Amino acid sequence: MEIIERTIQVKDLLTKSNLPASDYVINPYVGCPHGCKYCYACFMKRFTNHSEEWGQFIDIKQCDKAISKKRLEGKTVFLSSVTDCYNPFEEKYESTRKILEQLTEVDCELMIATKSKLIQRDIDLLKKCKKLKVSMSVNTLDEQFRKDMDNASSVAERLDTLKVLHEHGIYTILFMSPIFPGITDFREIIEASSAYVDIYWFENLNLRGGYKQKILDYVKDHYPQYTGLYQEIYVEGNNAYWQSLALDMEAYCETNKVKYINYFYHEKLVAAKKAGAQSKTAHDNAVQ
């Protein structure tokens, strides 16, 4: 599949973040050739005016302005929120590597999220970062299901990457996201990776927009035994499955001394952060 490729000029690589765990985000690219079938970031097309399907275009950001180290002191920075900073074009353009070269001496908390083994290329820089965590998304051990869902690194390559990073002393997160009801086996994934994962993050599958029906049709065709479950969750809006699964995960992790964070209520966390920021602004204005 041909990916439409172009470079674009931007004024700044830093963007203020609404995510609950970061102050700034850096997205070196617009679009992502991983083409995940469930990707929430496809909403970006509303702002970028791309006519291509999500996953079939990539814009490489060019920025003459250096990243402000002063702005990032004591802050949390996330690479990346609406792209994979280690998508295949990173091998050619090295945009993420150039960014890392600027961040190695900054006293900030850096989080990198990826689905690519390419991050191993930059271990020399990653080891220089003062406060670094690397998250690798894994939501299945079934390679065929993985292939059906994305064009990123294989399951085996992702697990091996986590192991290599861990061996180099880098804090590793297995981001079990998105968890597909009935399909994702959280116990199986933890048991296969616990030796080299520092913490697990859990996030449930949210279906919205144009990809909702595509995923429901996929489940109907490939996992017909779960059609009723998906109807109950995503059409009827019943959250009992997630509530039960959250309790199962909590019990399993506490019994087996597994560190974890449950992000099932991600949207509520984002809303709470926004409300907190608005409250702080109102307070500051009142004080002035």
Side-chain angles (χ1 to χ4, degrees):
M1 178 178 64
E2 182 182 2
I3 307 295
I4 305 301
E5 171 188 353
R6 67 172 182 162
T7 58
I8 60 173
Q9 195 71 26
V10 299
K11 295 180 180 180
D12 198 340
L13 289 170
L14 286 181
T15 303
K16 286 287 290 183
S17 172
N18 286 324
L19 296 173
S22 63
D23 299 305
Y24 290 94
V25 296
I26 302 176
N27 289 292
Y29 303 92
V30 177
C32 184
H34 289 341
C36 301
K37 301 298 189 296
Y38 47 77
C39 185
Y40 67 88
C42 61
F43 77 87
M44 288 290 293
K45 284 186 60 179
R46 298 202 303 266
F47 308 105
T48 61
N49 297 317
H50 285 87
S51 60
E52 304 87 2
E53 290 293 320
W54 182 256
Q56 295 181 14
F57 67 87
I58 186 79
D59 293 350
I60 299 91
K61 293 182 180 180
Q62 304 285 329
C63 185
D64 297 329
K65 178 182 177 182
I67 293 174
S68 173
K69 298 179 181 179
K70 184 176 180 180
R71 284 170 67 190
L72 296 184
E73 289 290 332
K75 302 296 185 180
T76 55
V77 185
F78 182 44
L79 266 167
S80 299
S81 59
V82 290
T83 188
D84 190 323
C85 56
Y86 283 102
N87 70 75
F89 286 85
E90 168 62 19
E91 190 166 7
K92 174 182 178 181
Y93 290 98
E94 297 192 349
S95 299
T96 299
R97 184 170 178 85
K98 293 169 186 174
I99 290 168
L100 283 177
E101 288 171 345
Q102 298 182 65
L103 296 179
T104 53
E105 299 303 319
V106 181
D107 187 17
C108 66
E109 293 185 22
L110 178 61
M111 161 68 70
I112 300 176
T114 185
K115 295 180 179 178
S116 173
K117 64 179 181 178
L118 182 57
I119 191 174
Q120 294 186 52
R121 180 202 64 189
D122 292 341
I123 284 178
D124 61 322
L125 294 177
L126 299 177
K127 292 171 70 172
K128 294 180 181 179
C129 293
K130 296 180 182 299
K131 301 171 185 175
L132 171 68
K133 295 179 180 179
V134 173
S135 161
M136 182 70 69
S137 297
V138 179
N139 68 349
T140 184
L141 296 186
D142 183 340
E143 183 58 18
Q144 185 56 57
F145 177 71
R146 196 282 307 166
K147 287 181 179 179
D148 289 345
M149 288 296 119
D150 67 57
N151 302 316
S153 294
S154 69
V155 175
E157 288 170 336
R158 297 183 203 187
L159 294 178
D160 180 66
T161 298
L162 282 169
K163 184 177 181 181
V164 170
L165 293 172
H166 181 77
E167 289 171 346
H168 281 275
I170 295 168
Y171 191 92
T172 55
I173 301 167
L174 190 150
F175 191 22
M176 207 176 297
S177 171
I179 292 174
F180 276 68
I183 299 173
T184 300
D185 186 334
F186 77 89
R187 294 179 180 83
E188 179 183 55
I189 295 171
I190 292 174
E191 289 166 6
S193 60
S194 61
Y196 44 83
V197 169
D198 290 297
I199 192 170
Y200 293 85
W201 287 1
F202 302 128
E203 185 177 53
N204 53 335
L205 173 68
N206 286 301
L207 295 183
R208 60 173 73 89
Y211 62 86
K212 177 176 180 177
Q213 193 57 50
K214 292 180 181 179
I215 294 296
L216 292 177
D217 289 343
Y218 172 85
V219 171
K220 182 178 180 181
D221 292 341
H222 294 81
Y223 296 89
Q225 67 272 34
Y226 299 130
T227 301
L229 177 61
Y230 279 70
Q231 171 76 19
E232 181 180 316
I233 296 171
Y234 297 107
V235 178
E236 299 171 12
N238 188 336
N239 287 321
Y241 176 85
W242 296 121
Q243 294 166 0
S244 176
L245 183 61
L247 291 174
D248 286 347
M249 287 176 161
E250 179 181 348
Y252 176 90
C253 290
E254 290 186 358
T255 298
N256 292 280
K257 296 180 174 55
V258 173
K259 292 184 179 179
Y260 74 98
I261 298 177
N262 186 345
Y263 286 108
F264 279 13
Y265 308 105
H266 177 82
E267 292 180 349
K268 292 183 179 180
L269 292 172
V270 171
K273 180 177 179 179
K274 288 182 178 179
Q278 292 170 355
S279 176
K280 182 180 185 302
T281 300
H283 175 269
D284 291 346
N285 290 338
V287 171
Q288 293 173 3

